[in-house]
Every structure is written in C-alpha cells, then in structure tokens.
Amino acid sequence: MASTHKSDKHSTLTLMTMQFAAGGCAGFVEVSIMHPLDLIKTRFQIQRGPDDPQRYTSMADCVKKMYRSEGPLSFYKGILPPLMAETPKRAVKFFTFERYKNMFSYGNYLIEPVVLTLSGLCSGLTEAVVINPFEVVKVKLQSERNSYAMQRSSFATAREIVSKDGLGLKGLNKGLSATLGRHGVFNMIYFSFYHNMKGVVPEMKDSKHDLARRFVIGLCAGILASCVNIPYDVAKSRIQGPQPVPGQIKYRTCNATIRTVYREEGFFALYKGLLPKVMRLGPGGAIMLLVYEAAFEWMQKNL
C-alpha cells in the first residue's frame, strides 16, 4: 500500500515537472520568433496624440524609422528580460492552468467550460505576478530611442529602477494591476476558447491536417484574447513606460489610466498597437500551444 502511494506521488511529480518544462519550451520558442512585433506594439502604445514629435504613422513607418535611426538590432531591444522570463513565465502559464484545472474539476461540481474559464483566469493572475518585474525592465528598454549598441544592459536597467524606486508598486512592480488585468483576461479567453473549440471541431485522421486544425484554433484563440485584453495592455505600457512630463507621474493605476487615455485621446487610443499585438499573439499563441503539446507528448514517450 505504501509502495503504491509512493509510486503515485512520484508519477504526479513527474507529470508536473513535464508540464512545467513543456511550458518553458513553448515560451522560449514563441518569444524568439515574435519579439520584434512585441517591441513595435510597445512603441505604438507609449506614443501619445498627434502632437507627439516621435509619432509613428504606421507599422511600416515604425520599422523604417527604427531601422534608419537605431539599426537592425534595435528590433531585439529588451529581448533578454522576456527570454529570461518567458521560459518560467510560460512554464507557470501552462503548469498553473493544469493545476487549477485539476482543482476546479474536483468533485465535478462545475461544467467543463466554467472549469476552463476559471483555470485560465487564475493561471493568468499567477503568471502576472511572476512576470511583472521583467515587464517593467522590458518596457523601459523598448521605449528608449538610442541605438542598440548604446543601450544599457537589462541588469543595469533593473538595478537603476530598484535603486531609484525600490521593489514596490513605484519601482520594479509598477503597473502590477494592469499586468494582472492583461494576463488574467488573456488566459481566460485563450485557454477556454482553445480547449472548448478543440472538442467542437472534429479531430482529423491525417496528422498534418490535424496539426493545421489545432494551429487555426490556437490562432483564433490568440487573436480573440488579444482584441479583448488590449486596453489593459495599453494601460500597462503607459504606466511602465516614460511619462509625458519627466518627473511627473501621470499614469498611476490601471483603471484611472484607461479613463485618462479614453478622455484625452478617444476610444480607439485604447486599441493602439492592436495590429502588431495580433500579428504576434495570433500565430504566437498557436505556436505556444502546439510546442507545449508536442514537447509534453515527447516527454511522456521518452522520459
């Protein structure tokens, strides 16, 4: 009896380790491919109205100006924080989703769509707490207009933030409420849509066709989640990015920032950066899910 219990405990630990590792693989692959679009999205979100002297008029204009004034490597500004963070971040994302799913499924009191929605929401909130300090550093680096060669390291930037403003909500955890909103809403829609639609759209016998089926569902999940959560993303970028007047904090909390942007710049300002965000997290979301499933399946077979 004791031997069986020990074996079950070891199997559960192994499963959890594989879920964590597969999520890390998914994050590393996704950020390595999609980071330039994340940078472009941030640049659009931190720019203000028509009077902004450094305003970009389109994605093409942003790419052209960055390439000319900052160099080709500028598209990978701020990549170290997400590379360092994406592996544990996505690991936390997928691992906690599976753990919350087990928790909410206990006793079969909730129907599966509700279980998936709650699990996605809670995994997003957990992920936000883990990732926010890295996001603060990343946004600061992405907002700088100097060339890549002149940019300070991620570690130097983090040290500067901590020495100046500390570890709290004015320093390395600035914008936490917006990050909670961004990740909570995204994961809630992303996981719920993907897993519910996988059950609706019939599985295909041909492996390549079924891969395409899952990619399209993941693509739609990423696009839908991005369209819904972007006001929180804009608020996060405004809070964590440079303030309009140096030394004066204009953007402090999530809801107040959303109201300020809406009042001063209009409804569509809350959707700044939507195109690069969708271009990143649509296919990026699909890539993450497919890499996670493939890595997890491989580990189950080979480890």
Side-chain angles (χ1 to χ4, degrees), residues 164 243-250 252:
K164 184 180 177 182
Q243 300 294 309
V245 180
Q248 296 182 20
I249 306 299
K250 180 177 182 178
R252 294 182 183 274

Side-chain angles (χ1 to χ4, degrees), residues 22 214 288-300:
R214 289 185 289 123
M288 275 194 296
L289 286 162
L290 295 183
V291 172
Y292 173 80
E293 291 177 347
F296 185 64
E297 184 180 342
W298 183 88
M299 289 177 196
Q300 283 184 309

Side-chain angles (χ1 to χ4, degrees), residues 21-229:
C25 292
F28 187 87
V29 171
E30 189 269 340
V31 76
S32 298
I33 296 171
M34 310 304 291
H35 182 78
L37 287 168
D38 184 68
L39 186 144
I40 293 169
K41 177 210 71 175
T42 301
R43 287 291 180 92
F44 272 100
Q45 290 177 344
I46 60 176
Q47 71 180 12
R48 288 165 287 283
D51 57 336
D52 190 336
Q54 295 179 316
R55 182 176 178 80
Y56 302 116
T57 57
S58 66
M59 275 188 66
D61 180 57
C62 179
V63 170
K64 185 164 58 178
K65 286 179 177 176
M66 284 184 62
Y67 183 84
R68 285 178 178 173
S69 63
E70 302 172 43
L73 290 177
S74 65
F75 296 104
Y76 286 88
K77 279 184 175 180
I79 194 172
L80 185 58
L83 271 181
M84 290 174 60
E86 285 300 322
T87 300
K89 171 186 171 182
R90 302 307 190 192
V92 168
K93 181 193 200 78
F94 286 95
F95 172 74
T96 56
F97 173 73
E98 296 294 342
R99 295 302 97 204
Y100 284 124
K101 190 168 69 170
N102 286 354
M103 183 180 76
F104 288 122
S105 298
Y106 185 78
N108 296 317
Y109 296 114
L110 300 173
I111 58 173
E112 188 176 17
V114 175
V115 168
L116 293 170
T117 301
L118 289 175
S119 302
L121 173 63
C122 291
S123 73
L125 296 176
T126 306
E127 179 187 18
V129 174
V130 174
I131 195 64
N132 193 65
F134 295 95
E135 288 289 317
V136 172
V137 176
K138 183 194 79 172
V139 170
K140 182 171 177 59
L141 289 170
Q142 288 183 340
S143 64
E144 293 176 353
R145 305 281 180 134
N146 53 349
S147 68
Y148 186 87
M150 295 172 62
Q151 192 170 56
R152 292 166 301 168
S153 71
S154 300
F155 296 105
T157 303
R159 282 197 302 270
E160 180 193 354
I161 293 169
V162 172
S163 62
K164 184 180 177 182
D165 299 309
L167 297 169
L169 296 178
K170 291 183 178 180
L172 210 56
N173 271 293
K174 181 166 59 174
L176 179 59
S177 60
T179 307
L180 287 167
R182 184 180 81 156
H183 287 268
V185 171
F186 184 90
N187 283 11
M188 179 177 69
I189 296 169
Y190 177 67
F191 282 118
S192 179
F193 183 92
Y194 180 74
H195 288 286
N196 280 308
M197 289 306 296
K198 265 182 72 179
V200 172
V201 181
E203 189 173 341
M204 298 183 180
K205 294 180 180 179
D206 185 276
S207 60
K208 291 182 181 178
H209 292 167
D210 194 61
L211 181 68
R213 174 188 74 100
R214 289 185 289 123
F215 182 86
V216 170
I217 296 172
L219 178 72
C220 293
I223 291 173
L224 180 61
S226 298
C227 291
V228 175
N229 88 327

